[in-house]
Structures are given as structure tokens and as C-alpha cells.
């Protein structure tokens, strides 16, 4: 089911006000990439709250997640025909790179400050999520920032015995599902440190409620299209994060 089909499927679920948003979105689908929530509210003669409810009726958390999928749809369906599959995949990754601009800046800034605050940093990720976790651990070492890396369930479970409230916990989970969290970190459920961060590609993660902060990365569409698990997406974010940390240290 593509982006437009998903909207049409929920057509009967919209309130009268949301129907106005629906009509505008359907009739101006090719302009969504450049419009803010305020602009859409003005042009549909509704309010930002109505646009937000429209997005939530579709199953999104809010306008930002809705816009992620809209941009992905536009770049895949409203571009010139590509010459071959390599062009298709390249265009998808270019679209993905643009979406990094929409990552929550506030949470990223807070994460940088938590890493730099002098307390212990614990980084956890297993299976496909272990690569970006290890990449961050090694990158922090290069910046002379000590951190602890847990790359399997046993070492992840060990964190529950040593982590303190003032520490920083960073968990990479591409899928954001419950399995690895339940196996390794469930004991922290009611004692999660203030500086706890989930970094995921899933904007409907099952475990974000256990973390104080969640950073949702773009790339769910690439994840569906590619046979390769998109570790590269989290690694791009780590590269950006390390450079931002380095800038703060100057």
C-alpha cells in the first residue's frame, strides 16, 4: 500500500475538519515537500491542530512523520524515469539524506550535552544495531571521550547492574521492537536514567516509552525496499553526531 492509498483507506475516518485537510492534501500532493504544518493549515482553512489530528488518524505520531512518508512518496513517484536500478537506489538514498534535516534537533543537542557532561556513557546495540553502536563507541574514543560498549544480550543485561541515574544510556535499535529490550534491559524499566536515548528507524517503536528521549531516523522506506538491513542509515547519523560533538569540543 503506497502513501496515497493509505490516505484513501482512512477517508471515512476523518472528521469534518479533517476532511478539509484531506481535500487539500489530495489536490496538492506535489507541494507537500515544501509546506509546513502552518502553511497547510492556512491553505486548507483549518488549524495546525486539525492537521495534526489528520496525521494521527492516518496512524502517524504527528505531522513530521507524515511528512517523512510524503517526501519519500514524492521522490519515488514524481521524478523522471530513471535509466536503471542503480539510478533508482541512488535517488532513494539522496532523498533519504535530505530527510536527515528533519531529525529532532532538540534531542540531538541534548544527547551531545549528555555525552560531554563527564558522566559515564553506555552504548548498547546487538545484531544489525551493533555496527552503529560500535561505530559511536570507537568514534568517542578517537575524541578522547570514554564510553562502554555492549554488543550482545549478556553484556547488555550487565548494564542493569552498573548503570547509575547520572549516566547516559544510548540504545540503537533499527526495528525498535520489544525482543532485545526485554532480554537485556527490562530490569531498567522503572529505573531508567534521565539521559536515556533510543535511536531507531521505527517511528512506531514498541520500546520508546521506556526511554526518556527517542531519536527517530529516516529510512523506513529504504528498509522496506532493500534486501540489506540499513545499518548505513544509523552509521550516517553517528558520523553526523561525532562531527557535532567535535565542534562543541573546540
Amino acid at each position: 500500500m503506497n502513501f496515497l492509498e493509505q490516505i484513501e483507506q482512512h477517508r471515512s475516518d476523518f472528521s469534518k475538519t479533517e476532511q478539509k485537510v484531506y481535500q487539500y492534501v489530495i489536490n496538492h500532493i506535489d507541494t507537500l515537500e515544501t509546506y509546513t504544518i502552518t502553511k497547510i493549515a492556512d491553505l486548507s482553512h483549518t488549524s495546525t491542530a486539525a492537521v495534526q489530528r489528520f496525521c494521527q488518524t492516518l496512524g502517524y505520531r504527528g505531522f513530521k512523520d507524515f511528512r517523512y512518508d510524503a517526501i519519500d512518496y514524492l521522490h519515488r513517484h514524481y521524478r523522471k524515469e530513471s535509466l536503471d536500478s542503480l539510478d533508482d537506489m541512488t535517488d532513494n538514498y539522496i532523498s533519504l539524506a535530505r530527510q536527515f534535516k528533519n531529525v529532532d534537533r532538540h534531542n540531538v543537542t541534548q544527547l551531545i550535552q549528555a555525552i560531554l557532561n563527564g558522566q559515564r556513557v553506555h552504548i548498547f546495540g546487538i545484531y544489525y544495531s551493533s555496527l552503529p553502536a560500535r561505530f559511536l563507541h570507537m568514534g568517542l574514543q578517537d575524541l578522547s571521550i570514554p564510553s562502554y560498549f555492549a554488543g550482545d544480550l549478556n553484556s547488555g543485561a550487565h548494564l542493569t547492574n552498573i548503570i547509575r541515574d547520572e549516566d547516559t544510556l544510548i540504545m540503537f535499535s533499527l526495528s525498535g521492537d520489544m525482543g532485545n529490550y526485554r532480554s537485556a534491559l527490562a530490569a531498567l524499566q522503572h529505573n531508567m536514567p534521565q539521559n536515556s536515548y533510543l535511536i531507531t528507524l521505527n517511528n512506531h517503536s514498541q520500546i520508546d516509552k521506556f526511554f526518556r528521549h527517542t531519536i527517530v531516523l529516516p529510512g523506513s522506506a529504504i528498509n522496506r525496499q532493500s534486501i540489506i538491513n540499513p545499518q548505513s542509515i544509523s552509521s550516517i547519523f553517528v558520523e553526523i553526531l561525532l562531527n557535532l560533538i567535535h565542534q562543541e569540543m573546540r
Side-chain angles (χ1 to χ4, degrees), residues 108 110-112 114-116 120-126 129 132-134 136-137 140 145-150 159 163 167-173 185 188 192-193 195-200 211 213 215 237-238 241-242 245:
V108 172
Q110 285 189 317
L111 175 56
I112 292 169
I115 290 172
L116 292 173
R120 298 189 302 179
V121 177
H122 305 271
I123 305 169
F124 175 51
I126 66 170
S129 299
R134 185 182 295 275
L136 178 58
H137 169 63
L140 292 178
I145 300 174
S147 64
Y148 301 89
F149 168 65
L159 294 179
I163 198 164
D167 291 349
T168 296
L169 171 64
I170 304 168
M171 178 177 178
F172 285 85
S173 176
L185 301 181
L188 285 175
M192 190 68 76
N195 292 325
S196 56
Y197 292 81
L198 171 66
I199 300 175
T200 182
F211 290 80
H213 311 274
I215 297 175
F237 172 73
V238 170
L241 181 64
L242 289 170
I245 292 171

Side-chain angles (χ1 to χ4, degrees), residues 57-143:
T57 299
L58 291 173
Y60 297 101
R61 287 187 178 180
F63 178 74
K64 183 182 293 185
D65 295 336
F66 168 79
R67 187 170 178 269
Y68 277 162
D69 277 1
I71 291 173
D72 174 71
Y73 176 82
L74 290 171
H75 281 273
R76 286 190 289 113
H77 293 269
Y78 282 79
R79 66 170 186 259
K80 293 180 180 179
E81 288 297 322
S82 298
L83 295 178
D84 54 31
S85 295
L86 177 59
D87 282 351
D88 285 339
M89 292 305 299
T90 301
D91 286 344
N92 284 337
Y93 276 100
I94 290 172
S95 173
L96 170 67
R98 292 193 186 102
Q99 293 181 48
F100 269 93
K101 295 180 180 180
N102 297 319
V103 171
D104 191 319
R105 306 283 179 96
H106 179 67
N107 271 342
V108 172
T109 299
Q110 285 189 317
L111 175 56
I112 292 169
Q113 294 306 313
I115 290 172
L116 292 173
N117 71 6
Q119 302 299 328
R120 298 189 302 179
V121 177
H122 305 271
I123 305 169
F124 175 51
I126 66 170
Y127 305 127
Y128 287 114
S129 299
S130 66
L131 179 63
R134 185 182 295 275
F135 182 20
L136 178 58
H137 169 63
M138 295 174 64
L140 292 178
Q141 284 186 323
D142 291 340
L143 295 174

Side-chain angles (χ1 to χ4, degrees), residues 185-235:
L185 301 181
L188 285 175
Q189 179 172 337
H190 301 295
N191 195 32
M192 190 68 76
Q194 289 295 321
N195 292 325
S196 56
Y197 292 81
L198 171 66
I199 300 175
T200 182
L201 271 64
N202 184 357
N203 56 9
H204 300 294
S205 169
Q206 298 174 327
I207 60 174
D208 68 342
K209 60 186 176 183
F210 301 121
F211 290 80
R212 306 287 184 175
H213 311 274
T214 299
I215 297 175
V216 179
L217 304 180
S220 57
I222 293 291
N223 192 16
R224 292 192 295 267
Q225 297 164 17
S226 175
I227 62 170
I228 306 299
N229 201 298
Q231 303 170 73
S232 57
I233 296 168
S234 297
S235 297

